[in-house]
Amino acid sequence: MAAELDCGTWKARPRCAFFVSHKRRFCKLLPSAGRRYCGEHAACEADTMDTLPLCTEEVAGLMAKIERFSEDLAFEVPRCILLHESLREPLKEAGSGPAWKHLQQQASILGNLEHLALLRPGHCFVEFGAGRGHLAHWVQRALPADKHAHFLLIDRSTARFKVDGKHKQGAGEFERLQIDIQHLDLRKVPKISQKGFPVVGIGKHLCGSATDFALRCLAEQLPNLTNHVQSDLGVEDPRAEDHESWKAGFGSQDLRSESRDQSRKGSSVAGLVIALCCHHRCRWRDYVGKEFFRARGLGSKDFSRLCRLSSWATCGWGKGRNGADGHDPIAETTCPFENSLDLDVNTRVALGQQCKRMLDAGRVDFLRKRGFEATLKVYTDLTVSLENVLITALPRKVY
């Protein structure tokens, strides 16, 4: 017999405390016990420290840290906007609009993979945050039909209209894992642990902390495939960038190398090409660049505020949802910290971009300390996507 419910003492569980501004209501999802926010808006939990106004001295101190950090980096992210031939015709057929913009980004990601000699058979391409799997789909289409490769698609949620069904023929065997990247251990994936495919990490707009999970997954779970380019396979060395040497993790490196050892058991990381996204959703506890930040006098509170400010680079100041002039989202913000920074529109956008690159600098440093030559690249125009920066990495050359 079912237990009776005492309706007089029952209380509904509180809903998520995140306010969805464009719907003018609070999120309807349920948070975990003892939490104020649902899983989708969990990053807001760490930001509650910033809901109080800052005094003038605190604001000035934060701005001084940002300026000092930026001067220390002294970087300019190089442009590497490429077009892979396999997407030339699909781009013509797409015309214009959202589909064309997605293809433009995918074409450049494939172009950068080819530029780094990573777009070739015999690899296991791991697409992080795969969604419907379009990026892996175009990678497969770019490979020779008579050659073999393996594709591992990772996503924590299911997606409708997946393109996996198109891969029954061609240069690839596809496998999909529904798992959060933070819980993924590539060493336990049979195709990787037993077959020994060199691993190439890829991702398009990998959101917030998901990028940190992916970098940690690649850099700390598997060894580097040192000197991965094989001259005996007739693969050309990647071209050296024509800009100045990097500083604090940015700039050019000669990424050319020749493979001398593929005999080790298990898989190694051959490289990664990941398009970055949504820095405002990064969390200090998950961030891979904590050591880099601490060395520059920045802590968890500074990190949280930099994440907030990073959204200014992409939130479209001065434009409404329909593109009309005159809309200023700063008037709608519920965060007094942002209100305390009395800045004009152009300064906000520039500051947001600065904060994004500061967060990315920590990621580049993380990869460099683990044996990779890493860099940032502008891979598409701002008119195509405001999130237009890639992080790429190859194992460091050993002479």
Side-chain angles (χ1 to χ4, degrees), residues 248-275:
F250 293 91
S252 66
Q253 317 90 40
D254 186 349
L255 300 176
R256 294 171 295 178
S257 54
E258 295 181 357
S259 175
R260 299 184 182 92
D261 180 16
Q262 294 230 21
S263 61
R264 75 179 97 184
K265 294 182 179 180
S267 294
S268 303
V269 178
L272 63 93
V273 175
I274 294 175

Side-chain angles (χ1 to χ4, degrees), residues 2-258:
E4 293 184 2
L5 177 65
D6 184 356
C7 296
T9 59
W10 181 84
K11 293 183 179 180
R13 286 177 59 188
R15 301 285 179 174
C16 176
F18 181 83
F19 186 75
V20 186
S21 58
H22 68 278
K23 293 185 177 180
R24 299 185 181 279
R25 63 166 174 78
F26 286 95
C27 172
K28 294 182 178 180
L29 298 179
L30 295 173
S32 302
R35 298 285 187 180
R36 294 186 59 213
Y37 297 91
C38 68
E40 190 68 22
H41 301 118
C44 300
E45 200 97 39
D47 291 336
T48 54
M49 70 179 69
D50 292 326
T51 57
L52 296 176
L54 274 72
C55 66
T56 304
E57 290 77 14
E58 289 176 307
V59 172
L62 176 63
M63 299 302 289
K65 288 181 180 180
I66 293 174
E67 185 177 354
R68 189 163 57 248
F69 198 142
S70 299
E71 289 177 353
D72 180 43
L73 294 176
F75 67 88
E76 181 177 350
V77 180
R79 292 172 64 88
C80 194
I81 301 176
L82 304 174
L83 171 62
H84 194 271
E85 283 298 319
S86 63
L87 279 97
R88 190 176 294 278
E89 286 303 316
L91 277 167
K92 290 180 181 178
E93 296 170 2
S96 60
W100 178 83
K101 290 185 176 182
H102 284 297
L103 285 173
Q104 280 280 3
Q105 295 169 68
Q106 290 156 350
S108 187
I109 291 174
L110 264 65
N112 276 276
L113 282 167
E114 185 177 53
H115 178 76
L116 299 174
L118 293 174
L119 189 63
R120 55 186 186 142
H123 285 63
C124 177
F125 294 91
V126 181
E127 183 178 358
F128 295 95
R132 294 169 61 188
H134 277 114
L135 181 57
H137 165 73
W138 288 112
V139 170
Q140 187 238 24
R141 291 281 297 272
L143 296 174
D146 59 340
K147 301 294 183 180
H148 189 75
H150 185 72
F151 295 86
L152 182 63
L153 280 62
I154 309 296
D155 207 292
R156 67 179 182 181
S157 59
T158 58
R160 299 178 64 192
F161 310 114
K162 296 185 286 288
V163 296
D164 302 28
K166 299 180 180 179
H167 306 307
K168 294 179 180 179
Q169 296 180 349
E173 179 181 345
F174 280 71
E175 181 179 355
R176 181 178 283 267
L177 294 180
Q178 186 178 341
I179 185 173
D180 195 307
I181 301 171
Q182 65 180 311
H183 302 138
L184 175 65
D185 189 341
L186 292 175
R187 295 167 296 189
K188 297 181 180 179
V189 178
K191 290 290 183 182
I192 293 177
S193 62
Q194 298 172 14
K195 298 295 184 179
F197 288 112
V199 172
V200 178
I202 59 176
K204 176 175 173 285
H205 292 185
L206 196 56
C207 190
S209 291
T211 295
D212 298 297
F213 294 142
L215 297 183
R216 190 175 284 114
C217 185
L218 291 167
E220 294 188 341
Q221 291 180 7
L222 300 175
N224 292 348
L225 180 55
T226 305
N227 301 326
H228 75 288
V229 180
Q230 295 187 353
S231 58
D232 58 334
L233 292 179
V235 179
E236 293 185 4
D237 292 343
R239 300 182 297 274
E241 306 293 341
D242 59 357
H243 46 87
E244 295 180 355
S245 298
W246 70 1
K247 185 176 182 181
F250 293 91
S252 66
Q253 317 90 40
D254 186 349
L255 300 176
R256 294 171 295 178
S257 54
E258 295 181 357

